[in-house]
Amino acid sequence: MAIAFNNETLEELERICARYPRREAALLPALRLLEREFGHVSEPGMVYIAKLIGVSPAKVFGVVTFYTHYLRPSDGKHVMQVCATLPCALRGGLDLYRHLSKNLGIKHGETTPDRLFTLKKVECLANCDKAPCLQVGEHYFDKLAPDTVDAMVDEMRKGRWKPVEMPYVVPKTKHEPILLKHVLEPGSNTLEHYVARGGYKAAEKAFKEYKPYSEMGGADGKQIVKEGLIDLVKRSGLRGRGGAGFPTGLKWSFVPHPSKNPKPRYLVCNADESEPGTFKDKMLIERDPHQLLEGIIISAYACTANAAYIYIRGEFGLGATILQRAIDEAYKGGYLGENVMGTGFKLDVTVHRGAGAYICGEETGLLSSLEGGRGYPKIKPPFPAVEGLFRCPTVVNNVETIATVPHIVMKGVDWFRSMGTAKSPGPKILSVAGHVERPGNFEVPLGIPFAELLELAGGVRGGKKLKAVVPGGSSAKILTAEEAMKVNMDFDALGAAGSMLGSGGVIVMDEDTCMVDAVWNLMRFYHHESCGQCTPCREGTGWLEKICERLENGHGREDDLKLLYEVGDNMCGRTICVLADAAAWPAQSYSTKFKAEFEEHIRLKRCPFKKSEAHVPAGAH
Amino acid sequence: MPKIKVNGRELEAAAGKTVIQACFDAGIFVPHYCWHPGLTPAGNCRMCLVKVTMPPPAPPPRGLSIACMTNVAEGMDVVTESPEVNKGRRDVLEFLLINHPLDCPICDKAGECTLQDFTFQYRGGLSRFQEPKTIRHTKDLGPNIKIWGNRCIVCTRCVRFCDEQTGTGELCVIDRGDRSVVDIFPGIPIDNPLSLNVVDICPVGALIDKNFLFQARVWFAQETNTVCASCSRGCNTKLTAMDGHLKRHVSRPNLDVNKYWMCDEGRLNVRYVDGPKRLKSGRGGAKELGAAAKSIVARHGPGSVACIGSSYQSVEELHLFKKLAGALQATRVGILSRSVGQRQTFKGGFVIEPDKTPNRAFAELAFGADALTSGVESIAAGIKDGSVKGLILMNGIPGLEWPSSLVMALQKLEWLAVIDIEQTPAASAAHVLLPAAVWAEKDGVFVNVDKRAQRIRRAVNPPPGARPEVELLQAALIELGIGERVLSAEGVFKEVARTWPEFVGLDYAKLGTLGAPLVKAMAGAPA
């Protein structure tokens, strides 16, 4: 059967291509069209797309095999994707996988003979408060147990299954939510709802009262006479909410002034939320997309960017649909397009879906993917602000960061700085998961003690003792219970404590957790997600996993801890991007802070948390 | 031009150049894998580590930098050898080796592999990796290329070559992490006219030329710098020979001719050298050629002997041939040539010429353009109408398609002498048949399409019955009373330099391995 799009789809493809300055950038969206029209991405399909886009078939093949989320011809009707990364594993994710595997009679990567089911273990789905979780098609399913998943499979076998949207839960605390204020209200993701609660007033204010750049004056010409948006955000002290914590206004100021660089500029919203333990952006996208769009409008205006792309991870299919609907509403309402809100400012916003790769959350990996390639991070310098997307000045900001901007513009710097600390001002959504009673997204002022956060999350599950805490996404160095209970949740305090705030993904581990098993889980994650470009990360992530596997399975050797540390050292700071560091930090910190436990594994030649051969501890494999 | 220091030595480097390029230009070697001077840099192997310090107020450097992605800047201080730099290299090598199979005993690349070389130089033999290795595919990528994926270090040189130089994009990297490896689209092999360059540039033994697979260990072989004879581009090449047989033909850099590349046809067009059609025994000798030709002229007068040469012959050979024609009062001279299709220009600028002979430029200079366009036809007509009684035919073009008018006419000749390399219709009809040497078996000079004189060098001996043409022609000339002894090709070239203004001041030493443009511009040609 020859693969060919009908005229309607061909026109749709052309409309998509027109949203990018280079046709190759439409490759990933084109592959999604192929997937939609034919149910999967096949080899003849790849040849067809190659011709349509104007690249070689080999280029398309390299792209398709890089990502994990495209459906392939071997996939069955229901692709059951069980999250296997640490936060879900801590709450029975691997048990769920094993149960499902037994029920379906297949293992990871396999499809049932009747082609009804494919089973896959996947990496963090950004749904950690609802662990253990499963994705089928676009839909997420939460807190699964053997009986609920059996019921689901049963319905699927009978052909009667209908996906039910899982409700969001935002635990109420004494801290007044700001970004999350309206996420649980029905219709909160519509334009009508947004405008009714004062939506787009901040953008209006930004255009009316601010220019991008400050007016300078004074005797030396270096005094700010009238503050511009970039300096406003700089003064607010807002720091990136995606993981690096880089001062946002400072990043914006690195973009060359239009008079110095005539190239078009781009604003890219990083919606690739993939750092294990982080699940805040998903909620913001699905439940309050206009808040994000308003932030994009203001940020684009500040950076003199007339085109913005929202790079959203492939698994967030529902989020992409909701975003596109909001964007369509915004265009219709005059908030986007040739003449934003009557100001003459032009802004086009395009949703660009990823296809399953953690490394596309790295800003330059994201740009490579946006340009239609494998998600390979780029060498820095040059930095994206100077030479980024399509070699033009580009600002890449996280969803939460951008969504905070309208609030700063509307309510001012003093208001923003009234929360948090001097160096880490403002509110932050902390995603708490793992062994707590009430996992969830907690919007709190930066700087609150971890001890308070733990209390808000209901304390350690089942009254168990706290053992370890990952404070800022799986890449963050682990804190012992003692260290965690003494630390405050802000960028600098956690930095001083030898870890980092990162993305704010907090993973709590109780006394029954095997730290060797936990770190093995994370090493498998980084090994799986390394793009493979540069030598130390490509080879090192594999080596780290293999050592941790042996340690957990009772084949540890005397020198392993020293080896683990040194391999990590040979990776840190020696690569194109920091995924290597992100893999080395857990390997080094877990094996150092829980040294006795690692040594016991080596000495006993088994995992002491395994009570019997059949027993699988509350861990990761 | 920013002034930088490398290992204490001051250098001026062109602005915009990278540190590795500046070092390369200055003859300072920085170990590397993924960088190649003919391709855009990738920065992924991390091997080209150097210590870069900028003058204050710049902060002191944190760790090492990769030289291929660091632009030179005024005042930059670069250190390429130090305990810190060498430790960095050791660590990169350790990572490269952990999954690399210990294939050296069966890998073609052994002996010319920089993974081996740098490992010996910086690491020594001990490994502390004791885990199961990652396995990747071994498969055909095309009619000439096979990949041993376990050896691939994913430097992407080959992928970049197919993207940048040929624009054909047949190669890609598939999968992620340590599963990633070079591959083709299923069913679409790598099959472009320059494809085997990727084997030349593969730093390890991952990409293998199927024609060379298991043919020779490079340490038992000899390499000879020469120039390809398969078209008038004259790409600079190297022949690998072992036990007197040609094993491999690869390119070598010449920025003025072929940059770093050569085409597959030129590379593989060496099989005929050892082929079954080679002439190994003849009839008569060079002396007899001279004597018989003299007698034809004596009996039938000037113009009764004609000469046909070819643009495959070297400068020295054509120079002697012209002397011979003069001595025999041959008024008619023709030059055989071979042209196929159109000039092919590739995305990266590489060119394959339609003229499939290496020395047309000199043939035109020596005998005039008419000899090439109508000389052979005119001689064929002369044979037919009986004005040409004797013919000396010196071909040398392998696999030539003989003009049918000439083949038919040969029967009418009273006397035919053939100097050639292969069994042909003319050879069968010849009274005097002298087996000759091919380009790989002799010294000489070719002038390429850009009027550049370049040396060819003997890499293997001709078959026992064959002799280099310079010897044969000089022996015939001596028989005709011209010259006293047989000179080497180098000696003949000295005479060429005294005879032709375009070659004044040139000699073998000056031509060296990269050749030189001709001294005086030839009519209508670039100087």
Side-chain angles (χ1 to χ4, degrees):
Chain A
M1 187 194 75
I3 304 271
F5 285 160
N6 60 29
N7 284 331
E8 229 173 80
T9 311
L10 283 172
E11 275 166 28
E12 188 182 350
L13 178 61
E14 288 311 308
R15 281 197 302 276
I16 292 171
C17 290
R19 303 195 75 86
Y20 303 89
R22 283 200 223 137
R23 201 174 169 83
E24 302 91 70
L27 178 56
L28 269 72
L31 288 167
R32 284 293 182 193
L33 282 184
L34 182 70
E35 192 186 53
R36 187 189 73 196
E37 295 296 303
F38 294 94
H40 53 235
V41 174
S42 64
E43 279 166 25
M46 287 186 233
V47 174
Y48 180 67
I49 294 291
K51 232 209 215 103
L52 282 180
I53 295 294
V55 294
S56 69
K59 165 86 193 252
V60 179
F61 193 57
V63 164
V64 171
T65 56
F66 182 84
Y67 300 97
T68 57
H69 201 245
Y70 288 119
L71 292 171
R72 305 303 306 278
S74 54
D75 288 330
K77 179 165 181 202
H78 302 291
V79 182
M80 316 289 278
Q81 299 158 80
V82 183
C83 177
T85 315
L86 189 61
C88 274
L90 290 172
R91 294 186 78 108
L94 278 305
D95 290 331
L96 172 64
Y97 163 75
R98 277 182 281 270
H99 181 86
L100 199 45
S101 176
K102 211 147 138 215
N103 182 331
L104 298 177
I106 50 176
K107 295 215 269 293
H108 165 71
E110 294 176 354
T111 302
T112 53
D114 60 5
R115 301 189 55 78
L116 198 54
F117 298 101
T118 298
L119 178 63
K120 282 191 184 155
K121 277 193 278 191
V122 296
E123 303 294 352
C124 184
L125 290 169
N127 199 37
C128 320
D129 56 340
K130 315 282 186 30
C133 71
L134 166 71
Q135 178 167 37
V136 186
E138 280 208 342
H139 310 277
Y140 274 51
F141 298 96
D142 309 335
K143 295 203 177 104
L144 289 157
D147 55 347
T148 47
V149 80
D150 282 346
M152 178 194 279
V153 168
D154 205 43
E155 294 289 289
M156 287 168 167
R157 283 198 174 110
K158 296 197 174 101
R160 286 194 325 227
W161 178 71
K162 271 191 157 51
V164 174
E165 292 313 326
M166 303 263 117
Y168 271 108
V169 167
V170 179
K172 261 183 99 65
T173 72
K174 71 174 199 252
H175 299 284
E176 189 64 39
I178 297 162
L179 272 66
L180 293 180
K181 187 158 181 191
H182 302 277
V183 294
L184 295 183
E185 293 164 19
S188 67
N189 53 20
T190 64
L191 178 60
E192 195 183 338
H193 192 281
Y194 193 63
V195 169
R197 51 175 152 109
Y200 291 109
K201 285 257 183 310
E204 201 181 306
K205 181 177 180 191
F207 283 114
K208 208 151 115 200
E209 298 179 20
Y210 292 94
K211 291 219 162 46
Y213 293 91
S214 300
E215 258 173 57
M216 308 305 284
D220 58 0
K222 292 201 177 123
Q223 309 306 316
I224 293 179
V225 164
K226 188 167 183 342
E227 194 175 47
L229 274 175
I230 296 175
D231 282 328
L232 174 78
V233 172
K234 239 187 190 165
R235 196 164 54 89
S236 76
L238 172 66
R239 291 170 73 161
R241 301 315 202 210
F246 193 84
T248 307
L250 188 60
K251 188 189 269 190
W252 290 3
S253 75
F254 288 155
V255 176
H257 193 279
S259 65
K260 295 209 171 74
N261 185 323
K263 287 195 187 166
R265 304 77 227 294
Y266 297 103
L267 176 70
V268 174
C269 172
N270 187 342
D272 193 68
E273 185 167 63
S274 304
E275 180 74 16
T278 319
F279 43 93
K280 56 187 177 73
D281 296 338
K282 182 168 186 287
M283 188 178 280
L284 289 171
I285 289 166
E286 291 182 11
R287 299 303 309 163
D288 209 344
H290 283 284
Q291 177 179 232
L292 175 61
L293 285 180
E294 187 172 18
I296 288 177
I297 291 168
I298 300 171
S299 308
Y301 172 56
C303 298
T304 324
N306 299 113
Y309 296 93
I310 304 175
Y311 186 97
I312 183 167
R313 68 179 284 183
E315 294 85 345
F316 286 176
L318 182 62
T321 304
I322 292 173
L323 260 180
Q324 190 57 57
R325 209 167 54 210
I327 289 172
D328 292 341
E329 285 182 315
Y331 269 100
K332 232 160 130 194
Y335 299 100
L336 292 174
E338 291 291 320
N339 188 5
V340 172
M341 300 167 73
T343 60
F345 181 69
K346 171 178 168 191
L347 181 58
D348 280 313
V349 178
T350 305
V351 175
H352 185 104
R353 284 185 71 192
Y358 166 73
I359 192 60
C360 292
E362 201 282 338
E363 65 174 354
T364 57
L366 187 160
L367 295 179
S368 293
S369 182
L370 194 43
E371 289 167 349
R374 293 160 62 86
Y376 277 173
K378 300 173 196 280
I379 306 269
K380 295 189 274 201
F383 289 86
V386 173
E387 197 177 302
L389 188 61
F390 311 120
R391 304 192 76 168
C392 295
T394 305
V395 167
V396 183
N397 281 138
N398 170 262
V399 166
E400 189 186 354
T401 311
I402 294 178
T404 308
V405 169
H407 297 277
I408 294 175
V409 170
M410 205 61 203
K411 292 171 261 192
V413 168
D414 292 341
W415 163 83
F416 187 73
R417 295 197 79 103
S418 72
M419 296 167 276
T421 70
K423 286 218 207 131
S424 305
K428 175 83 180 79
I429 306 172
L430 295 174
S431 306
V432 183
H435 295 153
V436 290
E437 279 295 327
R438 280 199 318 170
N441 279 317
F442 296 86
E443 192 170 5
V444 295
L446 276 169
I448 74 162
F450 168 77
E452 182 189 331
L453 182 66
L454 183 58
E455 212 181 291
L456 295 176
V460 181
R461 175 178 73 159
K464 296 267 184 175
K465 262 174 62 182
L466 182 67
K467 181 170 184 184
V469 177
V470 174
S474 63
S475 312
K477 294 184 191 178
I478 192 109
L479 295 173
T480 61
E482 199 185 323
E483 290 171 327
M485 293 307 277
K486 285 201 289 222
V487 83
N488 291 343
M489 301 299 290
D490 70 60
F491 292 104
D492 306 279
L494 280 164
S499 185
M500 63 181 197
L501 180 67
S503 60
V506 180
I507 309 171
V508 173
M509 291 178 242
D510 72 16
E511 58 193 293
D512 290 333
T513 310
C514 173
M515 300 312 290
V516 179
D517 200 16
V519 86
W520 177 22
N521 181 294
L522 291 182
M523 292 305 101
R524 186 214 63 234
F525 172 81
Y526 293 107
H527 181 202
H528 193 200
E529 297 293 341
S530 166
C531 76
Q533 223 190 150
C534 59
T535 306
C537 179
R538 178 181 70 245
E539 305 296 343
T541 49
W543 200 354
L544 290 175
E545 191 197 341
K546 287 171 185 171
I547 298 169
C548 292
E549 182 180 355
R550 271 192 303 102
L551 285 167
E552 174 61 8
N553 289 330
H555 303 297
R557 302 175 195 133
E558 285 272 326
D559 290 335
D560 273 344
L561 299 189
K562 177 164 175 283
L563 182 62
L564 202 60
Y565 206 91
E566 284 177 13
V567 172
D569 266 352
N570 291 346
M571 291 165 70
C572 284
R574 308 213 188 171
T575 48
I576 296 174
C577 82
V578 295
L579 189 146
D581 305 59
W585 290 333
Q588 293 180 326
S589 62
Y590 287 51
S591 61
T592 311
K593 294 198 179 171
F594 295 91
K595 189 168 180 210
E597 197 170 317
F598 281 72
E599 284 174 335
E600 206 184 351
H601 277 72
I602 297 173
R603 201 180 59 242
L604 293 177
K605 295 200 197 303
R606 62 176 173 82
C607 172
F609 290 84
K610 276 180 85 133
K611 298 183 180 58
S612 71
E613 266 318 300
H615 174 242
V616 181
H621 288 89
Chain B
M1 296 259 279
K3 280 203 187 53
I4 66 171
K5 247 202 236 169
V6 180
N7 299 330
R9 177 176 141 197
E10 270 206 14
L11 282 183
E12 252 191 33
K17 287 231 164 167
T18 57
V19 170
I20 202 173
Q21 183 74 62
C23 287
F24 185 74
D25 292 343
I28 300 168
F29 183 75
V30 175
H32 58 271
Y33 293 112
C34 67
W35 180 72
H36 189 282
L39 301 169
T40 58
N44 62 48
C45 74
R46 316 306 287 183
M47 189 64 193
C48 66
L49 298 166
V50 292
K51 186 85 177 183
V52 171
T53 313
M54 288 299 294
R62 274 192 324 189
L64 304 168
S65 312
I66 49 172
C68 68
M69 287 292 202
T70 307
N71 285 337
V72 297
E74 181 71 32
M76 183 178 269
D77 188 290
V78 179
V79 171
T80 71
E81 295 283 334
S82 76
E84 184 187 358
V85 169
N86 293 350
K87 164 127 198 334
R89 292 175 183 151
R90 274 206 301 283
D91 296 336
V92 170
L93 285 164
E94 178 172 45
F95 281 127
L96 285 172
L97 290 167
I98 62 175
N99 284 306
H100 200 82
L102 202 53
D103 273 0
C104 300
I106 56 164
C107 175
D108 277 0
K109 199 79 179 177
E112 52 183 22
C113 170
T114 49
L115 187 57
Q116 278 184 336
D117 296 344
F118 299 155
T119 298
F120 272 90
Q121 191 176 348
Y122 295 103
R123 271 197 72 80
L126 236 46
S127 167
R128 54 182 177 169
F129 180 82
Q130 298 180 67
E131 322 290 343
K133 292 193 184 228
T134 309
I135 306 291
R136 292 173 286 168
H137 60 216
T138 298
K139 60 187 277 194
D140 274 352
L141 295 184
N144 287 305
I145 301 171
K146 188 167 171 175
I147 186 172
W148 267 258
N150 287 334
R151 305 173 190 164
C152 178
I153 60 171
V154 209
C155 72
T156 68
R157 273 180 168 193
C158 56
V159 176
R160 281 175 279 144
F161 179 83
C162 293
D163 285 346
E164 297 166 18
Q165 289 298 322
T166 59
T168 46
E170 304 104 312
L171 296 180
C172 61
V173 177
I174 59 164
D175 297 342
R176 251 186 351 222
D178 60 7
R179 287 83 58 209
S180 60
V181 70
V182 167
D183 201 1
I184 47 170
F185 187 89
I188 302 183
I190 171 172
D191 195 11
N192 63 64
L194 308 184
S195 72
L196 280 164
N197 285 297
V198 301
V199 174
D200 280 357
I201 62 179
C202 180
V204 296
L207 292 177
I208 296 289
D209 177 350
K210 284 154 76 169
N211 304 289
F212 183 59
L213 179 61
F214 301 146
Q215 292 305 307
R217 276 324 207 170
V218 295
W219 55 85
F220 291 143
Q222 295 79 44
E223 289 205 326
T224 308
N225 291 329
T226 184
V227 153
C228 180
S230 293
C231 86
S232 60
R233 175 115 302 275
C235 294
N236 285 210
T237 61
K238 274 190 308 204
L239 282 167
T240 305
M242 188 175 79
D243 296 338
H245 296 281
L246 291 179
K247 296 296 180 188
R248 186 177 65 166
H249 191 197
V250 300
S251 68
R252 63 183 170 89
N254 186 327
L255 296 180
D256 294 314
V257 181
N258 57 310
K259 295 268 185 332
Y260 304 95
W261 322 117
M262 72 185 293
C263 73
D264 288 3
E265 195 176 308
R267 189 187 293 269
L268 298 175
N269 193 22
V270 297
R271 285 180 273 229
Y272 74 88
V273 173
D274 247 341
K277 285 183 15 184
R278 283 300 296 278
L279 274 176
K280 297 196 174 108
S281 58
R283 284 185 283 284
K287 271 197 188 166
E288 189 187 315
L289 186 154
K294 197 157 124 183
S295 104
I296 296 278
V297 177
R299 278 185 285 120
H300 297 286
S304 58
V305 169
C307 294
I308 295 182
S310 85
S311 52
Y312 224 84
Q313 303 300 134
S314 68
V315 165
E316 295 86 344
E317 290 157 1
L318 290 174
H319 167 78
L320 293 170
F321 199 60
K322 191 171 165 98
K323 274 169 81 167
L324 186 64
L328 295 171
Q329 296 172 286
T331 47
R332 281 194 249 226
V333 178
I335 300 288
L336 290 163
S337 194
R338 191 166 156 260
S339 201
V340 179
Q342 302 292 332
R343 189 175 218 221
Q344 278 182 280
T345 309
F346 294 86
K347 180 177 175 187
F350 185 80
V351 174
I352 302 178
E353 304 291 346
D355 175 5
K356 300 305 179 191
T357 65
N359 202 20
R360 190 191 178 102
F362 184 73
E364 266 186 20
L365 174 68
F367 299 102
D370 287 342
L372 280 141
T373 48
S374 55
V376 173
E377 289 300 319
S378 153
I379 290 174
I383 298 173
K384 232 168 120 184
D385 71 28
S387 49
V388 173
K389 298 281 192 239
L391 175 65
I392 302 178
L393 176 51
M394 182 174 75
N395 173 30
I397 301 179
L400 176 69
E401 257 172 47
W402 289 80
S404 51
S405 55
L406 179 62
V407 174
M408 288 201 294
L410 292 179
Q411 302 302 323
K412 290 222 173 77
L413 283 167
E414 193 182 305
W415 176 81
L416 171 65
V418 167
I419 305 172
D420 207 344
I421 56 168
E422 284 183 326
Q423 194 61 247
T424 62
S428 321
H431 300 95
V432 175
L433 177 62
L434 304 178
V438 305
W439 114 101
E441 297 161 346
K442 59 195 178 187
D443 286 353
V445 173
F446 288 149
V447 178
N448 80 349
V449 68
D450 295 329
K451 315 289 190 287
R452 185 182 194 83
Q454 303 186 112
R455 282 185 61 186
I456 55 170
R457 289 178 174 78
R458 180 171 60 85
V460 288
N461 286 330
R467 307 296 315 153
E469 290 89 316
V470 293
E471 287 181 26
L472 300 169
L473 292 167
Q474 286 177 91
L477 281 165
I478 287 170
E479 188 61 25
L480 294 170
I482 298 172
E484 284 165 358
R485 60 186 205 289
V486 173
L487 302 172
S488 67
E490 183 168 11
V492 177
F493 190 77
K494 287 200 174 108
E495 194 180 282
V496 168
R498 288 194 298 270
T499 312
W500 300 91
E502 291 80 359
F503 289 80
V504 161
L506 294 178
D507 59 26
Y508 273 18
K510 280 225 177 57
L511 292 181
T513 54
L514 295 176
L518 292 186
V519 174
K520 179 184 130 186
M522 285 152 70

